[in-house]
Amino acid sequence: MLKYKHMFYMDFSMEVAFMALSQEIFKKLEILTDAAKYDVACTSSGSSRRGGQGTMGNAVSRGLCHCFAADGRCISLLKILQTNECVYDCKYCLNRCSNDVPRATFKPEEIAELTIAFYRRNYIEGLFLSSGIRNNPDDTMEGIYQAVYLLRTKYRFNGYIHVKAIPGANPLLIEKTGWIVDRMSVNMELPTADGLRTLAPQKSRKKILTPMRQIQMGRKESFLLSGYEPSPQMLPASSTSAGGLEQQFGQTVNVPKIRESSTHCLQESHPNKSFVPAGQSTQMIIGATPESDYQIVHMAEALYQRFDLKRVFYSAFVNTTGDDLLPDTTESGPPLLREHRLYQADFLLRFYQFKAEEIITADQPNLNVQIDPKCNWALNHLEQFPVEVEKADYHTLLRVPGIGVKSAKRIVTARRMGSLDYAALKKFGVVLKRAMYFITCHGRMMMPIRLEQSFILTNLLGLKEKLPPELTGTTTYQQMTLEDIGV
């Protein structure tokens, strides 16, 4: 009884504290949640951790950052900036130092209190924390670490936390933070070093890649300390290999040295004794500089292979500063369809065993906006079709438009127990209106079809691919505000 009475008083006191927050805090919240909307974080958590006695919250794999959890729930993060003050003057950034915008900065204690207050009201189940560069990278990274440390220790918060690793910050600060968060990300900002020099001259590619390599090696060490063998992707690729770091990124990246024995001490700070267990991600702005899709897709492939990234995000450029060096998006709008095609190509790299050179070539450096990259590849390789679903291996099935990862696995499993027909394929999730042009079942196609590129393309275009509403202009979405949740 005393236990429940204590919990009641604790909950009640937090509610009172939340309601007593000053108007100044709410003003900061309004400014810094709005400033965070250009940081893409719509991904699943990637790590699972159950709450325990004396802690609150939990992290559910495939669960957070405005997405659907494994059990069907839609759950989200509190996505804020620590500060929108910044010493950098990046041409594309709304928060650059030369812009006249309202500025605000949260103290670490304020971030922790807000996170817990929103969590207790069931508005969020985790935190996404980014920041502008206030004073210098070390000062900014220290503030992020202090906020997360308070959440993990003072408030015993055991939920999902995703933070930005600040390029140029002391490696020890990044190391300390990595042991108490779930995911870290370092934004590439722009696809090439030339674009970075033009629009963000105060940043450098080496400073961006250094913490990426540190996180990769930290995850490897964490696996070794836990008694597991790290995956090959966790190990840095040799710079002498084909398409090495010098070719892909313009320079060699070294792992920063950490104080001896610090790893073992810092490991004790994390509940699971694991370093960045949900992995790292990055983000690239698309359309601010003239890079082709060929360059972007190959850059993404190199990042996955050489830095063990979980996800590369693509953010369609929105001109918020009106700088003369930037393209004008007033009439054309942000390149959302291009962003959509890049995400489809990214899925082929991550889940469908495609290589970048298969998806896009230097001869045709931009993705086909008419059809998705998988259909485009199939139309250009009709000599490999039709595929017999009763005999084709899993890798070959993944290449068929209309057959996804789950449906390919179901086909491989089901045909061991009996024969298949088109009705069964539909039940397995195969999109027959696409797949019908590229498969046979028992040696027969679903209907008489000419295996000609022009014929198939005409019919595929007639399907009127269901694009996201924001691409068709039928619906306009925007980030939630405090008024939307009744605060």
Side-chain angles (χ1 to χ4, degrees):
M1 181 67 183
L2 288 176
K3 175 184 176 183
Y4 293 108
K5 187 175 181 180
H6 172 71
M7 290 177 63
F8 170 77
Y9 281 129
M10 185 168 61
D11 290 343
F12 181 74
S13 63
M14 284 303 301
E15 289 292 317
V16 172
F18 182 80
M19 297 302 294
L21 290 175
S22 66
Q23 290 299 316
E24 180 184 358
I25 298 297
F26 281 115
K27 184 64 177 176
K28 288 182 182 181
L29 191 60
E30 183 180 4
I31 293 171
L32 295 175
T33 52
D34 184 68
K37 65 186 177 184
Y38 296 108
D39 258 312
V40 182
C42 298
T43 179
S44 59
S45 67
S47 64
S48 296
R49 186 172 57 257
R50 294 181 63 85
Q53 186 175 3
T55 67
M56 67 174 68
N58 58 76
V60 182
S61 181
R62 297 176 58 231
L64 301 177
C65 292
H66 302 92
C67 75
F68 289 95
D71 60 3
R73 294 176 302 136
C74 184
I75 52 184
S76 59
L77 301 177
L78 172 62
K79 186 168 75 166
I80 58 173
L81 297 186
Q82 176 186 224
T83 180
N84 67 340
E85 296 182 28
C86 195
V87 297
Y88 294 159
D89 195 29
C90 305
K91 306 300 182 185
Y92 50 82
C93 183
L94 181 64
N95 299 316
R96 64 180 187 172
C97 61
S98 60
N99 264 16
D100 184 17
V101 296
R103 305 286 180 176
T105 300
F106 275 132
K107 298 175 183 177
E109 183 69 31
E110 291 172 338
I111 294 172
E113 288 180 354
L114 281 170
T115 302
I116 295 301
F118 275 97
Y119 176 80
R120 287 186 176 279
R121 286 171 166 244
N122 203 31
Y123 293 150
I124 62 167
E125 294 200 30
L127 172 68
F128 173 89
L129 181 60
S130 185
S131 183
I133 310 301
R134 185 171 183 250
N135 297 330
N136 55 66
D138 283 350
D139 182 63
T140 305
M141 196 70 224
E142 176 67 30
I144 290 175
Y145 168 73
Q146 290 296 337
V148 178
Y149 183 78
L150 283 171
L151 279 168
R152 293 298 196 207
T153 57
K154 179 179 178 180
Y155 295 99
R156 309 295 296 167
F157 181 70
N158 202 34
Y160 176 77
I161 298 178
H162 176 178
V163 302
K164 293 290 182 181
I166 305 300
N170 189 314
L172 183 59
L173 287 172
I174 294 175
E175 178 83 359
K176 288 164 62 178
T177 307
W179 287 106
I180 57 176
V181 300
D182 293 278
R183 174 168 287 179
M184 297 185 80
S185 54
V186 187
N187 284 354
M188 290 292 294
E189 305 290 354
L190 297 165
T192 63
D194 290 339
L196 201 63
R197 280 191 292 268
T198 301
L199 299 184
Q202 294 163 294
K203 297 180 179 179
S204 72
R205 184 51 52 88
K206 184 175 183 179
K207 285 184 178 180
I208 292 172
L209 294 177
T210 297
M212 278 190 181
R213 177 67 79 222
Q214 180 184 350
I215 294 169
Q216 177 191 14
M217 295 306 296
R219 281 172 47 78
K220 171 200 169 187
E221 292 172 4
S222 173
F223 266 71
L224 291 174
L225 289 171
S226 301
Y228 295 100
E229 186 68 25
S231 64
Q233 288 76 20
M234 286 188 179
L235 305 176
S238 169
S239 60
T240 58
S241 62
L245 293 175
E246 287 83 358
Q247 178 182 349
Q248 293 290 342
F249 302 107
Q251 59 200 70
T252 303
V253 182
N254 297 317
V255 182
K257 293 183 179 180
I258 309 298
R259 286 193 316 217
E260 291 185 8
S261 303
S262 67
T263 297
H264 294 279
C265 296
L266 295 170
Q267 185 187 23
E268 299 301 319
S269 302
H270 195 276
N272 277 357
K273 310 296 185 292
S274 53
F275 185 85
V276 194
Q280 63 171 321
S281 59
T282 191
Q283 174 182 331
M284 287 190 281
I285 301 171
I286 305 303
T289 45
E291 292 90 4
S292 65
D293 294 339
Y294 174 83
Q295 292 173 289
I296 295 170
V297 172
H298 279 75
M299 170 63 74
E301 182 182 56
L303 289 170
Y304 285 127
Q305 292 177 350
R306 290 164 171 75
F307 289 89
D308 187 33
L309 261 66
K310 292 295 183 182
R311 186 77 183 268
V312 176
F313 291 100
Y314 307 95
S315 179
F317 171 66
V318 180
N319 193 335
T320 59
T321 64
D323 193 280
D324 293 339
L325 292 176
L326 299 172
D328 186 7
T329 60
T330 305
E331 295 183 1
S332 60
L336 293 175
L337 181 55
R338 184 185 183 193
E339 176 193 289
H340 181 60
R341 295 299 183 211
L342 284 169
Y343 271 119
Q344 290 176 323
D346 192 82
F347 267 72
L348 296 184
L349 290 175
R350 292 191 294 132
F351 301 120
Y352 289 83
Q353 304 177 4
F354 277 79
K355 296 180 179 179
E357 61 189 18
E358 296 176 296
I359 299 171
I360 192 167
T361 63
D363 297 334
Q364 295 180 328
N366 292 306
L367 295 170
N368 190 337
V369 295
Q370 289 185 306
I371 55 176
D372 67 84
K374 191 176 181 183
C375 283
N376 187 68
W377 177 86
L379 287 175
N380 289 324
H381 295 83
L382 288 178
E383 71 280 359
Q384 299 188 26
F385 298 99
V387 168
E388 174 53 56
V389 294
E390 288 276 7
K391 299 179 180 179
D393 59 28
Y394 175 70
H395 174 77
T396 303
L397 290 173
L398 285 179
R399 302 257 161 163
V400 178
I403 297 182
V405 173
K406 289 184 179 179
S407 52
K409 290 179 179 178
R410 289 167 181 165
I411 291 172
V412 172
T413 302
R415 69 190 184 189
R416 296 172 186 165
M417 298 178 285
S419 61
L420 303 178
D421 55 25
Y422 285 103
L425 295 179
K426 186 176 181 180
K427 291 180 180 179
F428 293 159
V430 175
V431 183
L432 289 176
K433 61 183 180 181
R434 292 181 183 278
M436 60 185 285
Y437 303 99
F438 306 99
I439 62 173
T440 58
C441 191
H442 298 297
R444 296 183 179 181
M445 302 195 81
M446 187 173 173
M447 60 181 65
I449 291 173
R450 298 199 309 272
L451 204 62
E452 297 175 359
Q453 188 180 73
S454 58
F455 172 79
I456 298 174
L457 178 60
T458 300
N459 284 275
L460 287 176
L461 292 177
L463 295 176
K464 296 181 180 179
E465 177 185 4
K466 186 178 180 181
L467 298 177
E470 58 267 27
L471 301 185
T472 60
T474 56
T475 307
T476 301
Y477 294 102
Q478 59 186 13
Q479 180 169 308
M480 289 180 66
T481 65
L482 297 178
E483 287 77 11
D484 295 327
I485 57 178
V487 175

